[in-house]
Amino acid sequence: MSMDMELLKQRMQTIEERIQAACDRANRKREEVKIIAVTKYVDAEAIRDLLDAGIEHIGENRVQDGVPKYEQYGDRGTWHFIGHLQTNKAKEVVGRFPYIHSLDRLSLAEELNKRGEALNQVVFCFLQLNISGEETKFGLSPNDVLAFLRETSNMRHIKIIGLMTMAPVVENTEDARPVFRGLYEWKDRINEWAFPHAHVEELSMGMSSDFEVAIEEGATYIRLGSVLVKP
């Protein structure tokens, strides 16, 4: 189903103004922040409209929905897999989605590395951390990060280029700030360890309800669904 292009452009302009204001508050450059359109609730036609409107980054959450959309429009834009990834579905994602935001366990790292090796390509990964400690959230516990990096350090076909987290749903977005700040602190810590396969430059954090706070705390990718693509 096609999107109303006039409405889409209005939304993009409003989002743009909010991003710029957050960058100004944090003394950051606007080009440091990239928008991923979260397209799990829209069809391939709507993705075409987003691409036509100038959105570059597409984020899909589910393999069974994302792969058919990729088959139609994967040659346009940059595709990110942002949802929880079952190990047995990794083979369908590697080779299609250059960026995977949900690396959260050793078995998945092993499978991604194996699939990358088979295709002779490096899989760019974001390590998903459960900063908030909520039991309902996926993600590696911060206590396990060092051991995880040691265990994956000999995997030549995965590169950890970023970190991802999800903040709790809160009424006051200020309550999400410590989670985003915590992820930024982990970026510095991991880079100080200087593992050859883990140089963290990207932070994937912030969604429709809290992206401004995430930008203030260092987000480089914000994942926008309802505020951008709601029907």
Side-chain angles (χ1 to χ4, degrees):
M1 190 173 157
S2 287
M3 300 181 75
D4 179 331
M5 289 303 277
E6 201 52 48
L7 178 60
L8 177 57
K9 286 186 172 162
Q10 285 172 9
R11 286 176 179 169
M12 287 173 66
Q13 184 177 344
T14 302
I15 289 165
E16 194 55 48
E17 289 165 2
R18 292 171 65 185
I19 291 172
Q20 185 62 63
C23 286
D24 291 346
R25 288 193 295 274
N27 198 23
R28 296 183 64 196
K29 295 190 177 82
R30 167 63 188 91
E31 57 265 29
E32 292 175 17
V33 181
K34 297 172 279 292
I35 297 169
I36 296 175
V38 179
T39 50
K40 63 181 173 181
Y41 295 125
V42 297
D43 60 15
E45 273 186 38
I47 290 176
R48 179 200 61 204
D49 294 338
L50 286 161
L51 293 164
D52 288 347
I55 290 287
E56 182 188 344
H57 298 278
I58 301 296
E60 277 288 322
N61 291 65
R62 291 188 288 256
V63 173
Q64 65 269 31
D65 300 329
V67 168
K69 294 175 191 176
Y70 174 87
E71 298 300 343
Q72 282 188 259
Y73 293 107
D75 58 340
R76 297 181 60 191
T78 303
W79 289 64
H80 301 252
F81 192 83
I82 59 176
H84 180 67
L85 182 56
Q86 293 172 283
T87 303
N88 64 352
K89 296 282 179 69
K91 63 181 180 293
E92 296 176 58
V93 172
V94 176
R96 293 185 172 99
F97 293 75
Y99 298 97
I100 294 171
H101 289 236
S102 47
L103 175 58
D104 63 353
R105 61 198 185 279
L106 189 59
S107 62
L108 181 57
E110 290 168 343
E111 186 66 16
L112 292 173
N113 186 61
K114 185 169 102 179
R115 296 294 166 186
E117 187 174 12
L119 294 173
N120 195 28
Q121 62 180 237
V122 173
V123 185
F124 295 113
C125 299
F126 289 66
L127 194 57
Q128 182 174 353
L129 299 186
N130 186 352
I131 298 288
S132 66
E134 289 178 278
E135 289 184 11
T136 54
K137 290 230 179 352
F138 292 110
L140 195 66
S141 163
N143 297 333
D144 298 331
V145 171
L146 181 55
F148 181 88
L149 292 175
R150 282 182 177 142
E151 288 166 333
T152 55
S153 60
N154 62 345
M155 296 183 186
R156 303 195 184 284
H157 292 273
I158 61 170
K159 207 164 222 20
I160 296 169
I161 61 159
L163 302 177
M164 187 269 257
T165 201
M166 298 177 71
V169 177
V170 289
E171 281 186 37
N172 180 359
T173 54
E174 277 300 313
D175 294 338
R177 191 179 295 276
V179 171
F180 299 140
R181 187 166 293 167
L183 197 70
Y184 188 94
E185 289 165 356
W186 271 103
K187 170 188 167 184
D188 287 348
R189 199 169 294 145
I190 289 169
N191 288 339
E192 281 171 15
W193 288 334
F195 283 92
H197 70 312
H199 181 67
V200 176
E201 294 187 346
E202 309 291 353
L203 292 177
S204 170
M205 60 188 192
M207 302 198 294
S208 291
S209 60
D210 55 21
F211 68 86
E212 287 144 308
V213 175
I215 290 169
E216 290 168 12
E217 294 299 332
T220 63
Y221 282 104
I222 54 175
R223 308 181 302 271
L224 302 185
S226 59
V227 74
L228 178 62
V229 301
K230 66 187 170 196

